[in-house]
Amino acid sequence: MPPLRRVLLLATASALVLAGCTPGPPDEIESAAEAVRALPGVADVAVTRTFGPEPVQGNFGQRSETRPSTVRVEVALAGALDPEGAGEAAGTAHRLLAGAARDMDENITVTSDFVGPGLTVSAGPDTAADVVVDAVEDGYGLLAAGATTVGLGLGADGGSDPLAATAHVVAASPDDLVDIAEAADELDRRVELEAPGARYRSAARVPDIDTVRLLVAAAGRPGVQDATYLAQERRLTLQSDAEPGAQSLADLRRWLEAQDFATADNPLAYTVLDAGYTETTGWVSGAEPAPRPTEPAGGATPWPDDDAAPNCTGQDLEVTLGVVDSAAGTRGVSVRARNVSGRPCAVESVPDLVFENEAGQPQGNVTVQPSDPGVVPTRVVVPDGGAVLAPLLWHTMSTANDPDTTTTIQVTPVPDADPVPLDATTDGTRATGLDILDGAEVRVGPWTQGD
């Protein structure tokens, strides 16, 4: 190479380094992307790499680790594919990309998105290829049933997360939701459904078609602007544009209570909100829940009863807070109480909770209701070392304007006990507190057998 050209190349390289240019995707991923691009059924592949913050420098200027980065591979599937063809193309592509990703440096995260007309399926390198195949095939099936968009985030945990199997489905009209629900039932695919003015939220099971029909019918009632079904609460919430006291509100409540739908053993609560957001609650079909005892978490074998066991005192119980889980606009966490008394003792109550902000002030206007209205506190004899759980559920609330989040929950586990303050943050600051704010509604269940 002529000396002048060599000098110019070195100068150009130095200028790129000084300008802060970052390397592109790793060669292994680029090679895998080329192989994917050549697969039948693949329209295109795009690879992008983004970098996190620079690692902290050591005492002598050395980097303590390499800079973390994320490589995102988007595989566009051909639009004319049938579900089986799309699934086969996605599965083969995922195997190629996942194989290359496993050879990457630990500071490089690789994610894959398989996209088609209206479909996005996201996966990590540890997601099983069969999981990707099933998700893509089911996505095409749901689109054929009337969905406008379908999204599944399978994550990087190999598909073990049950929520990752849930398809988030959007339709153009509430009238399309029944056909989509029937398709999801045939595919055995959990779905969350959304259309203008109607939402069906259930991440735990395939949709109940009769409930979807009721939701769609309710959304079409005069004055109803929005209808939402929340499976976690077994509740139908209807927002009406009618003014308080309007005859249409009474007609709507009568219509709900006249439906041949719910029973005392399988009740469905309703909430109707008027234009001023005043709530009226009741029971669909007029079927109030039959009282039933608490059951052990996870279907575990009940602990033995012992009539001689004394009631647990506050000093007998070590109270902690579980990990917050989120799904479909609802958050949940469990309060946990472990028996540390050295002998069995019994609980039969709902813990009393006070939600405090960073200044130690109780959140205002917080309404506490039963997590499941039909469940009544049941006497549970807790063996030494055993723990009981009390579930908490609430709707997500906006923290956009930096409100006072809940940073501490004062828990009185049993009557006459002293309150126990539990840190509700992840790092001790209100920025990581719970979005249980002024005006929140929290549903709390009684103590039930844990582990």
Side-chain angles (χ1 to χ4, degrees), residues 166-177:
T166 300
H168 301 269
V169 180
V170 177
S173 167
D175 294 336
D176 298 324
L177 296 183

Side-chain angles (χ1 to χ4, degrees), residues 74-308:
E74 182 177 286
V75 179
L77 302 171
L81 295 174
D82 59 19
E84 291 75 15
E88 181 179 355
T92 304
H94 179 70
R95 291 184 186 95
L96 291 169
L97 294 168
R102 295 188 189 102
D103 297 331
M104 295 293 95
D105 181 276
E106 63 180 9
N107 277 346
I108 301 177
T109 302
V110 180
T111 62
S112 303
D113 290 341
F114 302 93
V115 301
L119 174 70
T120 301
V121 174
S122 301
D126 293 330
T127 304
D130 289 346
V131 173
V132 174
V133 172
D134 289 344
V136 171
E137 288 183 354
D138 289 356
Y140 270 70
L142 294 169
L143 289 165
T148 55
T149 63
V150 177
L152 292 99
L154 303 179
D157 63 349
S160 62
D161 180 1
L163 295 182
T166 300
H168 301 269
V169 180
V170 177
S173 167
D175 294 336
D176 298 324
L177 296 183
V178 174
D179 288 342
I180 297 170
E182 290 175 342
D185 183 60
E186 292 179 4
L187 295 168
D188 196 28
R189 171 65 65 177
R190 295 190 290 270
V191 294
E192 291 183 345
L193 305 173
E194 183 171 347
R199 285 180 294 276
Y200 178 94
R201 297 290 188 246
S202 176
R205 59 184 66 86
V206 296
D208 181 83
I209 298 169
D210 288 338
T211 304
V212 176
R213 287 196 181 97
L214 177 68
L215 172 73
V216 172
R221 298 294 300 175
V224 173
Q225 295 181 313
D226 185 84
T228 301
Y229 169 74
L230 295 176
Q232 284 182 298
E233 299 180 15
R234 186 90 174 128
R235 178 176 295 274
L236 182 65
T237 300
L238 306 179
Q239 174 68 61
S240 172
D241 62 3
E243 294 300 320
Q247 180 62 41
S248 61
L249 294 172
D251 293 341
L252 179 58
R253 293 192 295 270
R254 277 196 294 270
W255 178 82
L256 288 166
E257 294 173 3
Q259 297 305 299
D260 183 13
F261 180 83
T263 65
D265 292 329
N266 192 25
L268 175 62
Y270 74 74
T271 297
V272 173
L273 295 91
D274 60 29
Y277 294 94
T278 301
E279 292 187 2
T280 303
T281 60
W283 300 96
V284 174
S285 306
E288 296 188 20
R292 61 187 188 279
T294 58
E295 297 180 355
T301 302
W303 290 323
D305 197 5
D306 182 357
D307 292 338

Side-chain angles (χ1 to χ4, degrees), residues 297 300 303 336 338 382-383 385-389 448-451:
W303 290 323
R336 179 186 181 91
R338 181 173 294 279
V382 190
V388 287
L389 308 175
T448 187
Q449 175 181 328
D451 52 20

Side-chain angles (χ1 to χ4, degrees), residues 5-27:
R5 185 179 176 191
R6 184 182 299 114
V7 169
L8 289 174
L9 287 173
L10 290 173
T12 301
S14 299
L16 289 172
V17 172
L18 291 173
C21 292
T22 53
D27 292 340

